Amino acid sequence: MNPTPGKTNDSLSDSNSEDTRQQKIQKKKKPSTQLPQPGTTQGSCAFDSAMITLVPITDAAHVVHGPSGCAASIWESYSSLSSGSMLYKIRFSSDIDENDIIFGGAKKLYKGILELARRYKPAALFVYSTCITALIGDDIEGVCKNATEKTGIPTIPVHCPGFIGNQNLGNRVAGEALLEHVIGTAEPDTITPYDINLIGEHNIAGAIWNVLPLLEKLGIRVLAKITGDAIYKEVCYAHRAKLNVILSSKALINVVKGMEKKYGIPYIEESIYGIESMNQCLRNIAAKLGSSDLQERAEKLIVEETAAINEKLALYITRLQGKRVILSIGSFKSWLIIFTAKKLGMEVIAILTKNNTEEDKIRVKSLLDQDGIILEQNTPQEILQIINENQADMLIADKRHQDTSITARIPFLDINQERNHPYAGYIGILEVARELHAAFYNPVWEQVYQPAPWEEDGGDGEAGGEITSSSSLSSQEEDI
């Protein structure tokens, strides 16, 4: 499955809706007047996102055919957890050097695969191409075919050099590799009427483990997880499921559409982040499986879980309601915090939306109040101005904005992708509430709010008179 222009376009067109096409037309009409800003080119390439998608297959070995730096670039950047094998944690690279670039690195890759198979005996091997090996034309398909025949271990080529596109294309290339080489190559020992696949969740920080017990209570069996905390064999027999549930992301939409076309498996798109979303997910799964008894049990479980979580959130509501926050959105975690903040009675006064799609911005407007502010530039000066004008109580963003919150002397909550907090399911909502509460009531802020020694002097000293800020003067006036 070489990433030829035809296949690339087909893969992307599968997931493009009419709205997306209209957005592209609108973008073409807009003049390109904005100058590039430092850091705007950062982000995952196709290679990075293909590995992020497939590395959570825990009992497989993942081999990067390229320089060792490529293998180190994103390894463990996303804390996908495993309940079994830890083989996926080991980095394997063909370590291409200058000599291999001139004479080719295919033989080196083949020898490395044979040695890897001998030492570790993985369930499967995924071999990822990189920019360099794609440019020099190494025959990864041929190497993988020969290695499979020699070792008896499935060796799957993933043609994902970074230059072919952005992270969305890398996700789809990984999905195409699963459809072509993995799904449908084995049969499960047994099947049940309630077998489903969970697709698109990478089990970051163990998020999927908050959801599996809920499905188990309903008698629903997760036949395959693609790909969080997955084993290779279960992905092979995923084609025997009765329903595909794509979770929180359209990154692998081509997989569910391909399985629907080839195996007749219907799919639904759901989210497991937020109480209402989790409720709707359970309802829709039960309804799609077509059992009235299952639907009744799902409703009963929803009532029980919702009541239990609302009782636990009551304390946080009394402590956090009315607080005003500024939030940067970019991942599912930040979207969840919007819903949780509203659940806790907090007010989201501004949202930072740099690098978000037009669809995201429309969704943001529907969630904000009429006076809500949407910032697209996200410069420290603009954020500080919004904080001061609206008396914000907290800034919630990734760590690059931490200095801004310190300057404004308000609490800061880091929602970076690498943070190890499982936000999924009902338990995930409670985790978000705990983090918000811990950040806002951190004892350090009692010290930060105290005036500096030179401010307490009332400006008697020359230096103190120059440094005292207007905010500290106003606080002193109130004390008087």
Side-chain angles (χ1 to χ4, degrees):
M1 45 146 292
N2 288 304
T4 58
K7 279 203 171 185
T8 298
N9 293 334
D10 291 343
S11 177
L12 286 174
S13 64
D14 285 343
S15 60
N16 281 348
S17 62
E18 184 63 29
D19 292 339
T20 307
R21 286 190 285 271
Q22 291 298 326
Q23 290 168 15
K24 290 182 179 179
I25 294 172
Q26 292 175 3
K27 286 182 180 179
K28 289 181 180 178
K29 293 180 180 178
K30 294 181 180 179
S32 179
T33 57
Q34 186 176 355
L35 295 175
Q37 300 295 322
T40 54
T41 59
Q42 293 180 356
S44 296
C45 64
F47 165 74
D48 287 346
S49 55
M51 289 204 68
I52 290 169
T53 300
L54 297 177
V55 163
I57 301 177
T58 59
D59 59 348
H62 300 269
V63 182
V64 177
H65 184 40
S68 58
C70 291
S73 62
I74 55 94
W75 211 278
E76 294 190 344
S77 294
Y78 292 74
S79 53
S80 178
L81 301 185
S82 169
S83 58
S85 174
M86 292 294 168
L87 180 60
Y88 75 114
K89 293 283 188 180
I90 304 176
R91 306 181 190 188
F92 297 103
S93 172
S94 59
D95 193 20
I96 292 296
D97 56 23
E98 292 88 344
N99 191 62
D100 300 315
I101 293 173
I102 297 171
F103 297 104
K107 290 183 179 179
K108 187 176 185 179
L109 173 64
Y110 179 70
K111 290 180 180 178
I113 291 174
L114 296 185
E115 179 63 15
L116 192 161
R118 184 186 71 81
R119 287 192 185 186
Y120 294 93
K121 297 178 174 56
L125 291 101
F126 288 88
V127 180
Y128 303 83
S129 63
T130 57
C131 295
I132 291 178
T133 53
L135 287 171
I136 65 177
D138 278 351
D139 182 15
I140 295 180
E141 290 271 2
V143 170
C144 290
K145 181 179 179 181
N146 293 337
T148 301
E149 293 174 354
K150 180 71 174 180
T151 64
I153 298 173
T155 306
I156 298 100
V158 185
H159 297 280
C160 55
F163 59 70
I164 67 171
N166 60 13
Q167 59 185 16
N168 291 328
L169 183 55
N171 293 329
R172 286 163 175 75
V173 168
E176 291 294 334
L178 294 179
L179 282 172
E180 184 173 347
H181 298 286
V182 183
I183 297 173
T185 60
E187 296 293 333
D189 295 332
T190 60
I191 57 173
T192 75
Y194 300 143
D195 286 345
I196 68 171
N197 296 323
L198 299 182
I199 297 177
E201 175 58 52
H202 303 324
N203 200 35
I204 304 298
I208 199 72
W209 298 336
N210 289 350
V211 178
L212 295 180
L214 299 173
L215 298 173
E216 188 177 346
K217 287 180 181 179
L218 295 176
I220 297 172
R221 185 176 74 157
V222 177
L223 189 64
K225 303 178 290 295
I226 303 177
T227 56
D229 191 24
I231 60 173
Y232 178 76
K233 186 178 180 180
E234 72 181 51
V235 182
C236 293
Y237 54 61
H239 64 295
R240 293 306 181 194
K242 302 298 186 295
L243 176 67
N244 281 328
V245 183
I246 187 164
L247 298 175
S248 308
S249 172
K250 294 185 178 181
L252 292 178
I253 191 73
N254 61 326
V255 172
V256 295
K257 287 189 174 183
M259 293 178 72
E260 182 179 45
K261 182 177 180 180
K262 189 172 183 180
Y263 304 108
I265 305 173
Y267 72 92
I268 55 176
E269 298 179 33
E270 300 296 333
S271 173
I272 54 176
Y273 296 94
I275 296 177
E276 290 76 13
S277 296
M278 191 67 240
N279 290 346
Q280 195 63 37
C281 177
L282 295 176
R283 284 194 184 101
N284 291 344
I285 291 174
K288 201 70 177 179
L289 290 174
S291 168
S292 58
D293 177 63
L294 180 61
Q295 290 177 264
E296 291 177 5
R297 286 187 279 122
E299 290 298 331
K300 182 179 179 182
L301 179 64
I302 288 170
V303 171
E304 292 174 355
E305 294 291 339
T306 303
I309 196 64
N310 285 336
E311 182 180 353
K312 293 176 181 177
L313 290 175
L315 174 63
Y316 296 102
I317 292 175
T318 59
R319 299 274 286 171
L320 293 172
Q321 63 182 347
K323 305 300 182 186
R324 299 163 65 83
V325 300
I326 296 176
L327 173 65
S328 173
I329 63 170
S331 68
F332 60 86
K333 293 181 180 180
S334 51
W335 284 103
L336 174 61
I337 288 179
I338 298 177
F339 304 134
T340 306
K342 288 181 171 291
K343 182 73 175 179
L344 297 172
M346 304 175 76
E347 182 182 353
V348 180
I349 59 174
I351 291 183
L352 318 179
T353 64
K354 189 174 183 180
N355 296 332
N356 288 103
T357 64
E358 292 298 324
E359 183 180 351
D360 287 339
K361 293 174 185 177
I362 293 172
R363 188 182 178 194
V364 165
K365 290 179 181 178
S366 68
L367 293 173
L368 280 175
D369 296 329
Q370 186 174 0
D371 298 330
I373 302 167
I374 297 178
L375 282 179
E376 296 188 21
Q377 295 300 320
N378 301 352
T379 63
Q381 294 80 6
E382 287 180 309
I383 297 173
L384 284 172
Q385 183 178 354
I386 297 297
I387 290 173
N388 293 330
E389 290 178 355
N390 296 272
Q391 298 180 339
D393 297 307
M394 180 185 292
L395 175 62
I396 306 172
D398 56 34
K399 56 188 176 184
R400 60 180 172 160
H401 293 300
Q402 187 170 9
D403 290 344
T404 305
S405 73
I406 293 174
T407 302
R409 298 205 297 183
I410 62 172
F412 175 78
L413 177 61
D414 184 2
I415 53 170
N416 200 9
Q417 285 276 20
E418 288 78 18
R419 288 177 64 81
N420 296 322
H421 298 288
Y423 288 161
Y426 299 104
I427 301 175
I429 303 297
L430 188 60
E431 182 66 31
V432 178
R434 286 171 179 162
E435 284 196 58
L436 289 169
H437 183 271
F440 192 84
Y441 288 100
N442 191 319
V444 72
W445 296 111
E446 296 181 6
Q447 302 298 320
V448 173
Y449 295 146
Q450 296 298 322
W454 55 84
E455 294 173 334
E456 291 179 342
D457 292 340
D460 292 339
E462 183 178 353
E466 292 177 354
I467 298 176
T468 302
S469 65
S470 58
S471 61
S472 59
L473 282 173
S474 62
S475 65
Q476 291 173 15
E477 290 172 358
E478 290 178 2
D479 293 338
I480 294 172

